[in-house]
Amino acid sequence: MHKSDVLIIGTGVAGLSTAIHLAMRRPTCSISLVSKTNKEECNTRYAQGGIAAVWDLKEDDLNKHIADTLDAGDDLCDEKIVRMVIEEGPQRVKEMISWGTRFDKSPNQEYDLAREGGHSEHRILHYKDVTGAEIERALLDKVAQLPNVRILEHYFAIDLLTQHHMGYNITRVMDNIECYGCYLLNLQNLKVETHLARITVLATGGSGQIYKSTTNPTIATGDGMAMMYRAKGHVENMEFVQFHPTSLYSAGGENPCFLVSEAVRGFGGILRTRRGEEFMHKYDERLSLAPRDIVARAIDSEMKLSGDEYVYLDCRHLAKEEFIQHFPNIYNKCMSVGIDPMTSMIPVVPAQHYMCGGVRIDEFGRTSIRHLYACGECTSSGLHGANRLASNSLLEGAVFGQRVASHVSECIDQIMLNEQIPEWDTTGTNDPKEMVLITQSIKELKDIMSYYVGIVRSNVRLKRAMDRLHLLYTETEELYNTSTLSPQLCELRNLITNGYLVTRSAGMRRESRGLHYTTDYPAKHPFLEDTLL
Ligand code: FAD
Ligand code: SIN
């Protein structure tokens, strides 16, 4: 049994920001950060475009960033939260810089601000096209200087500890569920360890791996949302799955798909059909820089009309040296697969990219379960509504990380450890005989979600998905109850839960809004409010 004052599950921008702020405010608090693989491996590390923050007050102002965020969110953002995040954003970015994060500057030593879809101004701070890796590096370096933070790598969080583990019956309508920490699977020896904490924070990232094509790394299996749902906490807005319009097309399929940043379109890249014709004017006056939901649907529609497997992103007219300077990672990747972006168009296709829904939180990252906070992509904070504005995600992780830390540091002294939690019980479990069953079920889940719950949905497709998910769920629960744990089995279980939550939420929304488009209700409903699970 392990004990910490605060247990933070996740070492991306959200988890690291929480740990840094908390450790600085409360140097005597013991803080454990958990990562299911290496501490660097997370969505944050792959972020390309950058972090949106109003920086140049001569050209930009907070209200414009707020308006762009609300517009992208299609009337489902919480305006109070949007204002709060955008107002606090520049301060969080300044802190990142003070902790050693580098952002590109132009020759006059001002920060070089990029523009992406849905933004009315240039306001994206970036480090070449590898901003996330730079932020992750700097935050990990900062954490390493804080003696009260330790990182547990290769520990897989399985389930949140609540009264359920002390034999009480817990239901979703109860408002006094408490969290006492987490069961963690030690991946070195495959033993489950009980980790007690006065406060637990979920910062587990997204769930892109429920789809066949995703830009998310393989760790993105929605574990936080699934643990929350199993613990009977509130999860919402899961129907709003963001597909990025431009991942690099690969005939054999790659997991993850390589992202071609929206910043490339901000830099002048133009979308064209395989016949070389522009098409975005048919869909939105902002052309290739319309918000992501519109561009992804436009590409999907063009591909369906033509039967093509991809469209093109044309960068041939852009200045070579500047392109390479801004996008070295994208340039090198294209060259490595035989595409010179300066002489050939880049084949691109939409891929799942971001989960707008998740664990419902308030302005301090508090969840519906006591002593449990959450921040980052695993949450539904009200910032993104029905569609996230580009580069608002790193910002959200940084702002909510600080807010969770400030609230926790105020209330932690009133919370005691609960030492009555029993150790994990392995009775009746054996090593699974056929691991291939797990791999096959993951493949089936991805097929179901991609064919029936993708960019365009319908009642018939959702019903079909639900029926098939039910079968997968039943088979997997049986396997789970009789098998010794493996990370693959835990991930399969979590993926199915996420697939179910997305499909069920999609079925409940009887309108098309933001990222949720259904042929049965093609229009936006004037009165429908957000649905809660
Ligand atoms: P993550 O960074 O994903 O971290 C999750 C952490 O949780 C990891 O440490 C993982 O090990 C841990 N974890 C998960 N489950 C478990 C478990 N069961 N047990 C233990 N640990 C667990 N956003 C922007 O704002 N700007 C961009 O330019 C941008 N570009 C992007 C490009 C790509 C290719 C991708 C994939 C995303 C991009 N995003 C961008 C989105 C953004 O990167 C993510 O939303 C954000 O980084 C999420 O941060 P996070 O801290 O919430 O989660
Ligand atoms: C990108 O660089 O296009 C991704 C930006 C984001 O996801 O916010």
Side-chain angles (χ1 to χ4, degrees), residues 10-11 13-14 36 43-44 47-50 155 157 223 354 377 391 393-394:
T11 56
V13 63
K36 69 176 176 181
N43 275 8
T44 300
Q48 291 187 354
Y155 272 86
D223 301 347
Y354 185 82
E377 187 170 340
S391 289
S393 174
L394 293 171

Side-chain angles (χ1 to χ4, degrees), residues 20-21 24 55 89-103 105 111 125 134-135 137-139 141-143 145:
I20 295 169
H21 283 284
M24 294 199 310
W55 202 260
Q91 182 54 29
R92 300 290 81 85
V93 173
K94 280 182 196 149
E95 280 156 7
M96 281 185 179
I97 294 171
S98 75
W99 299 334
T101 310
R102 295 166 294 174
F103 293 113
K105 291 187 171 172
Y111 282 106
L125 291 113
E134 173 59 11
I135 290 177
R137 179 203 61 76
L139 297 186
D141 283 355
K142 179 71 188 170
V143 161
Q145 296 160 19

Side-chain angles (χ1 to χ4, degrees), residues 9-15 34-37 41-44 46-50 155-157 203-205 215-216 219 223 259 353-354 376-377 388 391-394:
I9 308 168
T11 56
V13 63
V34 183
S35 160
K36 69 176 176 181
T37 57
E41 183 59 1
C42 52
N43 275 8
T44 300
Y46 296 94
Q48 291 187 354
Y155 272 86
F156 192 110
T204 43
T215 63
N216 290 190
I219 59 112
D223 301 347
L259 181 74
H353 182 63
Y354 185 82
E377 187 170 340
R388 174 177 70 96
S391 289
N392 267 359
S393 174
L394 293 171

Side-chain angles (χ1 to χ4, degrees), residues 1 54 107 114 147-148 202 272 283 322 327 331 347 368 373 378 416 427 430 439 460 480 487 491 524-525 533:
M1 188 168 289
V54 173
N148 53 333
L202 287 173
R272 295 184 189 278
Y283 300 92
E322 278 184 55
F327 308 112
Y331 180 80
S368 61
Y373 292 69
C378 69
M416 296 295 124
T427 321
N430 293 297
T439 329
V460 175
Y480 182 82
E491 286 187 342
K524 190 153 91 180
H525 192 289
L533 287 174

